[in-house]
Amino acid sequence: IAGITQAPTSQILAAGRRMTLRCTQDMRHNAMYWYRQDLGLGLRLIHYSNTAGTTGKGEVPDGYSVSRANTDDFPLTLASAVPSQTSVYFCASRGQGAGANVLTFGAGSRLTVL
Amino acid sequence: GQNIDQPTEMTATEGAIVQINCTYQTSGFNGLFWYQQHAGEAPTFLSYNVLDGLEEKGRFSSFLSRSKGYSYLLLKELQMKDSASYLCAAVDSNYQLIWGAGTKLIIKP
């Protein structure tokens, strides 16, 4: 089934630990995104990648890093987690051609930092 | 700055009609999205408007007025499964999405 897979679904993490959230898509979409969603706030863009080999900073990039070694994978790394990074994280991708503006989202990763 | 405003919460009755409004201020404009998000799930695409006017898709319709910086999502014949959050997002001049905080829609029998 074509789509986006995120892992883990949920994770509890001690502050100061390193954590990588994985995101894989099989739709051959060029553009990929990482958002965080917090209660009462809209989705906020952390990092994005317009194509394999390139990345860019979004609205709230501090404390996060990404890489885009190939088209399919776009992992998000928290080098040293802090409690303010407790959130639900969504990976998304956007294709080309007809419907190119539409974002497709993964199921989300719920992260709790204690 | 860039800003999206939509009501925090709305309540409606099963079988009725509800209109969820969204106003936006962005640097440049390349369209407006509506997404539906059930609790604990990912957002899913409902509609995309780039031209003024109303677009109808089954029970859901979306309207855009570019001159007023305004959009609405109209849901007809409400069903219990329509209980969800509805997210409005405007596309700015860099083709980035600016998201509203979402409107939680509660449907009562």
Side-chain angles (χ1 to χ4, degrees):
Chain A
I1 297 177
I4 299 179
T5 302
Q6 289 186 235
T9 303
S10 179
Q11 182 76 45
I12 299 174
L13 188 66
R17 298 298 295 267
R18 181 183 179 89
M19 177 71 195
T20 295
L21 304 180
R22 300 183 297 280
C23 176
T24 300
Q25 54 106 355
D26 61 3
M27 298 175 285
R28 308 304 293 171
H29 285 175
N30 282 337
M32 297 187 74
Y33 308 84
W34 274 105
Y35 288 94
R36 60 177 289 173
Q37 186 175 42
D38 302 290
L39 195 64
L41 300 175
L43 288 162
R44 292 185 292 169
L45 183 64
I46 304 170
H47 284 287
Y48 65 93
S49 169
N50 288 328
T51 190
T54 69
T55 63
K57 294 182 180 181
E59 180 186 356
V60 289
D62 294 343
Y64 305 94
S65 64
V66 291
S67 61
R68 187 88 184 276
N70 56 62
T71 298
D72 297 345
D73 301 301
F74 191 44
L76 176 74
T77 297
L78 289 68
S80 179
V82 296
S84 63
Q85 292 177 312
T86 293
S87 188
V88 180
Y89 291 86
F90 287 101
C91 180
S93 71
R94 185 162 72 181
Q96 301 81 239
N101 276 323
V102 177
L103 285 180
T104 300
F105 286 85
S109 295
R110 181 176 296 275
L111 183 65
T112 303
V113 183
L114 302 177
Chain B
Q2 306 199 100
N3 191 52
I4 306 287
D5 283 319
Q6 52 181 131
T8 302
E9 186 174 297
M10 299 182 69
T11 302
T13 304
E14 189 177 15
I17 298 173
V18 70
Q19 177 175 312
I20 303 174
N21 297 324
C22 171
T23 58
Y24 63 89
Q25 289 179 310
T26 55
S27 50
F29 179 75
N30 285 294
L32 188 132
F33 284 96
W34 284 97
Y35 276 76
Q36 181 190 60
Q37 186 178 25
H38 286 101
E41 298 182 9
T44 55
F45 170 76
L46 286 178
S47 67
Y48 172 66
N49 294 65
V50 66
L51 300 175
D52 285 354
L54 183 70
E55 293 202 8
E56 299 184 67
K57 193 184 296 184
R59 293 188 300 114
F60 292 9
S61 302
S62 56
F63 172 83
L64 176 67
S65 169
R66 294 176 66 129
S67 63
K68 295 182 179 178
Y70 168 70
S71 174
Y72 68 72
L73 181 69
L74 190 71
L75 291 75
K76 302 177 185 176
E77 302 170 13
L78 286 169
Q79 302 175 10
M80 297 304 293
K81 68 178 181 179
D82 297 330
S83 292
S85 288
Y86 291 85
L87 313 182
C88 172
V91 186
D92 71 10
S93 57
N94 294 318
Y95 290 89
Q96 298 294 346
L97 272 67
I98 311 301
W99 294 86
T103 299
K104 183 178 181 180
L105 178 63
I106 299 168
I107 309 296
K108 296 185 175 180

